[in-house]
Amino acid sequence: MQVNYKSKFNPKSPRAIRGLAFQKSVEDIITPWFQRTWNSREWFLLQDKCLTDYQLNMLEHTWGDIVIVDLNLPYKIFIECVSVGSEKSIFPEHKIKKFEGSNKYYCFGWDDEKIFVHSKVWNSYARKLPLVMENYRSFTRKNITGLRNQFKCVDSFCEAMFKIENV
């Protein structure tokens, strides 16, 4: 029996359009560094072409937006892209709970800025942010720039990935 789930994601909303454009810009800028980068939805569909949009959405919650595959890395790297608004932004609680692991990073961005933060660092910090609406945390750009453990540019992030040792 197939159950139809309605996604809350609206690809036509201004927020979604901004987020998808940011995700594409991150993918484009890191692609020259690695043997292969994938939009995670495309990568999942290579594994199983029968996945539904709902299943892809759920997989994205855990695995992020971009997958880096490179034989020079000890494992795949997963990136969750977060386009940050000019004032306050919101961050979903489900990302804090589901997007975690030694090979997972957030890329926060605005204007021409891209800052990479390990999921463990951001999730620990984000749990302390004020809860707004139901299941969202409020944050600003200053919350990102104030983190001590971050990669402040694409090059430093990509270089660090090649220095990762097997765990």
Side-chain angles (χ1 to χ4, degrees):
M1 174 174 91
Q2 170 104 19
V3 178
N4 291 327
Y5 292 95
K6 184 85 171 146
S7 173
K8 294 180 195 174
F9 178 72
N10 176 3
K12 294 180 181 171
S13 75
R15 185 171 172 222
I17 291 168
R18 185 181 75 221
L20 291 170
F22 175 66
Q23 177 182 326
K24 180 72 173 126
S25 76
V26 173
E27 186 177 348
D28 289 347
I29 204 163
I30 66 172
T31 292
W33 280 89
F34 303 101
Q35 291 171 347
R36 187 63 196 200
T37 59
W38 294 90
N39 168 309
S40 64
R41 294 174 83 84
E42 293 170 7
W43 186 73
F44 292 131
L45 286 169
L46 281 175
Q47 319 304 312
D48 182 350
K49 64 182 181 221
C50 296
L51 291 169
T52 66
D53 278 343
Y54 176 78
Q55 290 169 319
L56 289 167
N57 291 344
M58 294 300 102
L59 288 166
E60 267 188 325
H61 287 184
T62 303
W63 299 103
D65 300 314
I66 297 171
V67 183
I68 298 171
V69 179
D70 193 305
L71 295 175
N72 298 304
L73 300 175
Y75 39 71
K76 294 170 186 65
I77 304 292
F78 298 90
I79 300 172
E80 174 67 28
C81 298
V82 181
S83 176
V84 181
S86 59
E87 297 296 321
K88 288 192 174 196
S89 293
I90 56 173
F91 193 81
E93 192 74 18
H94 71 79
K95 286 185 186 177
I96 297 169
K97 294 175 182 171
K98 293 182 179 181
F99 191 73
E100 58 184 5
S102 60
N103 60 340
K104 295 181 181 178
Y105 294 82
Y106 291 102
C107 179
F108 295 93
W110 57 90
D111 304 329
D112 290 330
E113 193 86 29
K114 289 179 179 58
I115 297 176
F116 292 82
V117 180
H118 193 277
S119 64
K120 183 176 181 180
V121 171
W122 175 253
N123 290 344
S124 176
Y125 183 80
R127 283 183 184 94
K128 300 170 191 156
L129 293 170
L131 204 55
V132 294
M133 301 189 306
E134 189 178 342
N135 300 315
Y136 287 89
R137 303 278 178 168
S138 176
F139 74 101
T140 64
R141 293 175 179 183
K142 188 175 179 182
N143 293 116
I144 308 301
T145 59
L147 292 171
R148 280 181 271 178
N149 294 325
Q150 62 177 279
F151 299 98
K152 295 186 182 202
C153 69
V154 173
D155 290 354
S156 65
F157 169 75
C158 293
E159 288 168 3
M161 295 305 98
F162 288 110
K163 295 176 183 169
I164 293 174
E165 309 236 348
N166 277 323
V167 181

